[in-house]
Amino acid sequence: MKFKDKIRFVRQNMKKNRMRVFMTILATAIGCAFLILLASVGFGLEKSIISDLTEGRLANEINVYHDKDFNQLNDEDVEILKQIEHVKTVTKRNTLHHEMMFKLEEYESYWPQVYATNFPSEIEAGLELSDGRMPQANDEIIVGYHFNEILTEGNGNEIVYYEEDLIGKTIDLQVIYYDKEEMKQSESFPVKIVGITKQPAPKVKEQFALISEPLLKEIEDFTVEAFLNPEQSNDEDVELNLDKEKTYDDVRIYTNHLENVSGVIEKLNELGYGNYSVTNQLGQINTLFLVIKIGLIFVGTIALLIASIGIFNTMTMSVTERTQDIGIMKAIGAHPSTIKQIFLIESSYIGLIGAFIGTLFAYVISIVINFVTPMIIEALSGNEGATTQDIMLTYIPISLVATSVSISLLVAIFSGWRPAKKATTVDVLKAMRRDI
Amino acid sequence: MIQVKELNHQFKIGKKKRETIIPVLKNINLEVSKGEIVTIVGKSGSGKSTLLNLISGYIRPTEGNIFINNQNVSELSEGDWANFRINHLGFIFQSFQLIPSMTAYQNIELPLILKGASEVARKKQTLDMLEMVGLSDYKAFYPSELSGGQQQRVSIARALIVKPPIILADEPTGSLDSENEQELLNFIQKLNQDHNITFLIITHDDQVAKIGHRTIIIKDGKIQGGRSL
């Protein structure tokens, strides 16, 4: 008997008992939807947490904090790091700790984040621009995508942000110091903005400025000279800093491939370098969420098992009602396996339609939950800005749908197995005597 | 074509401790040649239907062998019996045994579906068969909408559709009036003459018994004798 004919038989049989089959499909659909929704909470939370963790970071990036003696990293350390196998490049940044401000026309920015870096290694590490080009001269700088948001004009009552194009603009980097009468003075370093970094992930603000290492040296030379002015230099820290070798505040390693991150971390740990990597962190989180998701799927499967009782009942009734038909079919030459397959296809059909409807239910409910949850949080917290971040309580990936459909199908086959087996053992003579 | 050798069959009644064994057929030997119409007659409870059920493979003999087309069918598994049945045997039952939820067309088509025939071939053969039994206008009728004679013709068409060399009939006229009975007997004789189909017919009706080239009488589970035309 051809598969197509078996399907036709099954559909004819199902049509005979529409209401009963519909109720069984509904029960399966509810079970499947429950399974998907329950597990989707695990997937949703995982996605939210991972996206929070990874925003603004590259997966092949490893931050290195200190050497084995907990000292900041110096050039020698950077060279050692570069020698580690699979390391593509190492970037080193220094934060300018001086009191300073940017001034562009009437717009000012106090206490900006300014980092000195080596641009060629930044390019190699994957620094990308949304506009402009990389610096070529020492007085050329790159600013973060949101830099204009810290350039403001006006007092506290009315603040106006700089909204014109920053590319090509010369901006004053003013370093503040105090003279011998402790009067506030400033030295201006005019720099030209030549590039703006690529737009970061939605929740990340990039308001920094990246200057070249030679410009940092120029600024440092000036500040050291100012501090060393004999009439004001009784600051011990300044003297201490002068004796120290050059170190870096922020050293990052970029591996050539994502799969090499753990190997490089292993080597760093061996060498005693303190480090942090999102990828490494993600590995632990993934394991935790895997356990949570398996647990939720397991609990959800119980709902499907309850639905399977309905399938078993429907199939048993179906076999009982069709005993005479089965007997006649066997009497004229139907193979027992054909009979079994017809009933197994019927229970699988119920399982599959139920899973399909259940998946649709789950998607609709998931969309509603994700739409309503932020509103409820806002209403409960009484704060409009409470949900500026996208909250995803439920997330249904294709893999979850595939898992749920497979479980539904397996449960349906499992439920239909015994009735189908019973159908094959129908006694031809007893079945045919039924209508006499 | 059909050979029954030293066939014994008994039924067991009751549960293990109080089991009673009732012998139904005793040392049956029978041979039916190709193209023959053999009728088996006997009183109710004589064992004639049991003999036909054994030859049909619906029950297994306690002892002895049955050969059909030189194959020992007593040794076939249930699955192999199903395959053998669909390819070699056609069945006509007293109460027609049509599937009530299927139309005349679908009932006739059923053996071809079970055999895995193509849709095109099925359609042609089923329509031909409907015409042959004179029911072309009734193809969309359900069994409950047909008369007894019409239902039996559907049943015969279903038996013939796979072109079996042997047809086993159990009281084929049992549910028919005399007019329909005669019509059916004429049809069986025509099929035998035109297509050389072998018939083994169980009956207690003398009219039916008369169409057989040979008639075998069964009494108390034993073959008592026979008569030839």
Side-chain angles (χ1 to χ4, degrees), chain A residues 90-146:
Chain A
V90 179
T91 64
K92 45 195 201 280
R93 286 181 183 182
N94 263 324
T95 310
L96 271 71
H97 297 292
H98 315 82
E99 184 181 348
M100 63 181 87
M101 65 179 280
F102 278 111
K103 192 165 171 32
L104 177 61
E105 297 158 16
E106 302 307 316
Y107 295 84
E108 292 174 340
S109 150
Y110 291 95
W111 293 102
Q113 295 168 282
V114 181
Y115 305 110
T117 188
N118 177 270
F119 286 111
S121 59
E122 290 281 357
I123 295 166
E124 213 179 338
L127 178 71
E128 289 179 75
L129 302 178
S130 64
D131 199 4
R133 58 169 174 80
M134 282 293 171
Q136 286 161 357
N138 291 346
D139 62 348
E140 290 181 342
I141 67 165
I142 285 174
V143 293
Y145 187 82
H146 302 102

Side-chain angles (χ1 to χ4, degrees), chain A residues 1-2 4-5 8-9 12-13 16 324-326 328-336 338 424-429 431-433 435-436, chain B residues 53 58-59 78-80 82-83 85-86 89 91 93 95 97-102 106 109-111 113-119 122 158:
Chain A
M1 192 172 182
K2 288 179 177 167
K4 200 172 126 189
D5 291 317
R8 195 164 59 86
F9 258 65
Q12 273 176 0
N13 291 333
K16 279 183 221 160
Q324 191 194 355
D325 296 5
I326 296 165
I328 295 169
M329 283 172 75
K330 281 179 85 174
I332 60 174
H335 200 283
T338 305
T424 63
T425 58
V426 163
D427 184 90
V428 174
L429 295 176
M432 290 201 298
R433 262 185 229 124
D435 71 335
I436 297 170
Chain B
N53 289 335
Y58 300 151
I59 45 177
E78 200 184 351
D80 289 340
N83 291 333
R85 232 175 260 148
I86 198 83
L89 303 174
F91 300 89
F93 306 96
S95 49
Q97 301 296 352
L98 301 174
I99 293 180
S101 58
M102 289 183 177
Q106 288 169 331
E109 188 193 25
L110 184 60
I113 293 174
L114 294 173
K115 241 184 140 177
S118 75
E119 218 163 311
R122 265 166 23 204
R158 185 182 65 186

Side-chain angles (χ1 to χ4, degrees), chain A residues 211-280:
Chain A
I211 66 167
S212 65
E213 283 176 327
L215 181 59
L216 170 70
K217 189 162 186 329
E218 207 179 310
I219 293 168
E220 278 180 342
D221 286 348
F222 165 75
T223 50
V224 167
E225 197 179 313
F227 281 122
L228 282 182
N229 186 326
E231 288 169 32
Q232 69 152 115
S233 94
N234 49 3
D235 192 331
E236 287 173 11
D237 289 343
V238 173
E239 281 183 46
L240 276 170
N241 280 336
L242 282 171
D243 291 340
K244 276 175 79 174
E245 61 184 332
K246 189 176 180 189
T247 57
Y248 300 101
D249 301 331
D250 181 353
V251 176
R252 295 176 195 201
I253 288 175
Y254 294 86
T255 61
N256 50 6
H257 290 292
L258 192 60
E259 60 265 33
N260 293 326
V261 170
S262 55
V264 173
I265 286 173
E266 224 168 88
K267 185 72 184 166
L268 287 172
N269 292 338
E270 201 180 301
L271 295 169
Y273 286 104
N275 61 74
Y276 171 83
S277 156
V278 167
T279 307
N280 207 29

